[in-house]
Amino acid sequence: MAVLVIADHDGNTVREATAKTVTAAAKIGGDIDILVVGQGAKAAADAAAKIKGVRKVLLAESAELGKTLAEAVEATVLPLAGGYDAILSPANTDGKNYSPRIAAKLDVAPISDIIEVVSPDTFVRPIYAGNALETIQSSDAKKIITVRPTAFEAAGDGGSASVETIKGADAPKTDFVSEEMVKSDRPELAAAKIVVSGGRAMGSAEEFAAVMDPLADKLGAAVGASRAAVDAGYAPNDYQVGQTGKVVAPQLYIAIGISGAIQHLAGMKDSKVIVAINKDAEAPIFQVADFGWVTDYKTAVPELMKALG
């Protein structure tokens, strides 16, 4: 048995989601290889080779792979699929884009967002916004799986896998047009150890920034938001935490002015410590919070900032 993990990386290093996906692959069993797709990604491939338990790293490069075009990733993976029993990727934006395409071409059912490996053919995944868990047993010869990184510990370092360069595919029917990159000195939301999130109670984009940014800077935290805050235009889309946003599991999650709709809870309830600040004592967020502060955020946040020095 052999498992292929498609790496999540920034060109220089592999993100922690990759090491967590390797842990899931190890639970399936067999040899584990990592595929690094991109352009100018040799440093990322070398970093992937240091993950414990990896047999070898495959490096595929092309201009289209550098932009992680799903069609190019699919065309690169398909010739490799014959040598693997399972193909795993983190359940992030890219993984959710190309994994169903790969599954369709292989005529198998994709298995999404797993949080547990029961056996090589049986997996657990959340459904109904995380309110129920579904156990899936697949009879497909090949398993195409996306892994929720927050559910697995990261595999350690200490590996010494070889790096092999393979041909990267193009995407002849797809043209890359443009992208807008958001630059921030704060930690990446999905990987941050501390997250402070704001909700619709903020009332405006200016108020959201005035409240959230100083607190995040003080704590060295990433900033998140509820869907209601994003839909209202208070925060950008990449701040959204929840079922249709990013799933996070930081050491500390501070929810400010967030009522706690089921879709939001699905994206953050695995956080180690949850602090909720809301003036509505009946807000659902308090059902999952470790610490609750029933007060207006306009009073709470200044007191918190003062206490933090």
Side-chain angles (χ1 to χ4, degrees), residues 18-236:
T18 302
K20 293 182 175 183
T21 305
V22 168
T23 297
K27 292 179 181 295
I28 293 174
D31 295 320
I32 301 171
D33 296 344
I34 294 181
L35 172 63
V36 175
V37 297
Q39 187 175 40
K42 179 61 165 61
D46 291 339
K50 297 177 182 178
I51 298 176
K52 189 175 181 179
V54 175
R55 177 179 64 173
K56 67 179 177 180
V57 175
L58 305 174
L59 172 62
E61 298 186 290
S62 72
E64 286 84 354
L65 289 173
K67 301 301 182 183
T68 325
L69 294 184
E71 294 82 356
V73 177
E74 168 207 306
T76 301
V77 171
L78 288 177
L80 304 173
Y84 297 97
D85 300 282
I87 299 173
L88 276 60
S89 62
N92 55 17
T93 302
D94 291 331
K96 292 177 180 179
N97 190 6
Y98 54 67
S99 290
R101 295 173 182 269
I102 296 169
K105 286 295 180 70
L106 294 174
D107 195 24
V108 300
I111 303 171
S112 63
D113 222 26
I114 68 166
I115 61 171
E116 181 183 346
V117 177
V118 178
S119 70
D121 67 351
T122 306
F123 311 94
V124 178
R125 63 184 294 270
I127 57 174
Y128 301 127
N131 279 287
L133 298 179
E134 178 181 48
T135 300
I136 300 172
Q137 186 172 37
S138 173
S139 60
D140 289 327
K142 295 189 186 300
K143 315 295 189 291
I144 309 301
I145 301 169
T146 59
V147 176
R148 181 175 288 193
T150 56
F152 296 89
E153 296 294 329
D157 293 329
S160 56
S162 60
V163 177
E164 176 184 334
T165 300
I166 64 173
K167 181 176 175 57
D170 298 324
K173 295 183 179 180
T174 305
D175 293 322
F176 177 80
V177 178
S178 65
E179 66 181 350
E180 294 182 14
M181 300 296 291
V182 176
K183 295 183 178 180
S184 174
D185 293 331
R186 296 196 183 97
E188 182 185 5
L189 178 58
K193 301 300 183 185
I194 302 174
V195 174
V196 293
S197 280
R200 183 167 45 192
M202 299 293 166
S204 69
E206 293 75 19
E207 177 73 358
F208 187 97
V211 173
M212 305 304 294
D213 289 352
L215 181 58
D217 292 340
K218 178 74 73 173
L219 293 170
V223 176
S226 67
R227 177 171 179 171
V230 171
D231 286 348
Y234 304 163

